[in-house]
Amino acid sequence: EPEVTQTPSHQVTQMGQEVILRCVPISNHLYFYWYRQILGQKVEFLVSFYNNEISEKSEIFDDQFSVERPDGSNFTLKIRSTKLEDSAMYFCASSSSGTGFAGELFFGEGSRLTVL
Amino acid sequence: SQQGEEDPQALSIQEGENATMNCSYKTSINNLQWYRQNSGRGLVHLILIRSNEREKHSGRLRVTLDTSKKSSSLLITASRAADTASYFCATDRRLGGGADGLTFGKGTHLIIQP
């Protein structure tokens, strides 16, 4: 069964460093998303991406963050100059249609980021 | 505005009993979805109910939607230990949907006691 894959599963970094989280969405999907979940808290929307551009971003997704689809398969989230409060589980998701229609999101297993 | 607030925050029941979780939301929706998350894992889609539907079934899951009260419930019948997880409701970030993703609630943590 097709699945969303994320790497790395866990990354530890020093405050101020840059990290790149990678995702391979399901191959025929067109919509891509990043969410984050701070331990024990709700799943928060960061950004959605469609047709090679950002569709929407939340207030969390400030200039520190960027996304890219460098080729036909990967979807990356870059966090520049990480802060302690960026420590969280980051989830990539993809869908074949917009959420107003079929709507189901397929999530990866997440990348746990720990900022020291 | 805060969409998708589930209650209770935590629920512990005996195996074989039914588990009911509720979700309330504030604005109009296209559809409402329920997801499950096992500890430390990704979210898994369970069921989607459209705004013009009132009830939907999938296996041991039954979802209801009351748009007049802006609420939904998820019922898991004949619970099993493997149902232990957190359950989230989710709605479109915007009524038009499209590429804007979903807003998730805080979730109900369900524990099934063997």
Side-chain angles (χ1 to χ4, degrees):
Chain A
E1 185 172 323
E3 59 182 16
V4 176
T5 58
Q6 290 186 242
T7 55
S9 57
H10 189 192
Q11 181 155 358
V12 180
T13 189
Q14 294 293 321
M15 193 168 55
Q17 296 295 304
E18 174 183 287
V19 299
I20 297 176
L21 306 179
R22 293 182 168 79
C23 170
V24 179
I26 294 173
S27 62
N28 63 345
H29 284 184
L30 302 175
Y31 299 82
F32 313 113
Y33 311 88
W34 282 101
Y35 285 82
R36 81 171 185 191
Q37 185 178 35
I38 295 171
L39 186 62
Q41 298 188 26
K42 66 190 300 183
V43 178
E44 300 175 293
F45 172 79
L46 292 178
V47 66
S48 59
F49 194 87
Y50 170 70
N51 200 27
N52 281 323
E53 62 182 19
I54 290 174
S55 175
E56 190 183 0
K57 57 186 180 180
S58 71
E59 59 277 5
I60 302 170
F61 194 89
D62 59 21
D63 292 343
Q64 182 194 9
F65 294 89
S66 62
V67 290
E68 194 177 36
R69 189 158 162 79
D71 52 41
S73 59
N74 290 286
F75 180 51
T76 62
L77 174 69
K78 182 188 290 186
I79 309 174
R80 286 181 283 274
S81 189
T82 49
K83 305 174 224 173
L84 295 176
E85 55 264 38
D86 295 327
S87 293
M89 183 76 94
Y90 289 81
F91 291 105
C92 174
S94 68
S95 66
S96 58
S97 63
T99 56
F101 305 99
E104 175 182 353
L105 265 59
F106 292 79
F107 281 83
E109 291 292 334
S111 292
R112 179 169 298 283
L113 176 64
T114 301
V115 182
L116 302 177
Chain B
S1 63
Q2 187 74 23
Q3 284 284 69
E5 294 287 342
E6 296 91 342
D7 78 87
Q9 289 187 325
L11 178 62
S12 180
I13 61 174
Q14 294 294 317
E15 194 167 19
E17 294 180 338
N18 296 341
T20 299
M21 289 157 275
N22 303 296
C23 168
S24 61
Y25 57 91
K26 288 188 166 60
T27 62
S28 297
I29 58 171
N30 298 303
N31 56 55
L32 185 142
Q33 306 184 37
W34 285 90
Y35 286 78
R36 186 179 89 177
Q37 184 183 34
N38 286 24
S39 180
R41 307 291 299 275
L43 284 82
V44 176
H45 180 264
L46 293 176
I47 195 166
L48 178 152
I49 186 165
R50 300 197 183 284
S51 58
N52 61 353
E53 297 176 311
R54 293 296 167 259
E55 187 171 312
K56 199 163 183 179
H57 296 254
S58 177
R60 294 185 295 112
L61 305 180
R62 172 177 168 251
V63 169
T64 62
L65 180 64
D66 186 335
T67 53
S68 66
K69 294 181 180 177
K70 292 186 168 58
S71 67
S72 174
S73 68
L74 171 67
L75 168 67
I76 303 173
T77 61
S79 62
R80 305 167 182 168
D83 294 329
T84 294
S86 291
Y87 292 81
F88 298 87
C89 68
T91 57
D92 288 307
R93 287 176 53 78
R94 287 196 295 187
L95 182 60
D100 298 336
L102 301 174
T103 295
F104 288 85
K106 293 181 180 178
T108 292
H109 184 51
L110 176 65
I111 297 172
I112 308 299
Q113 306 279 2

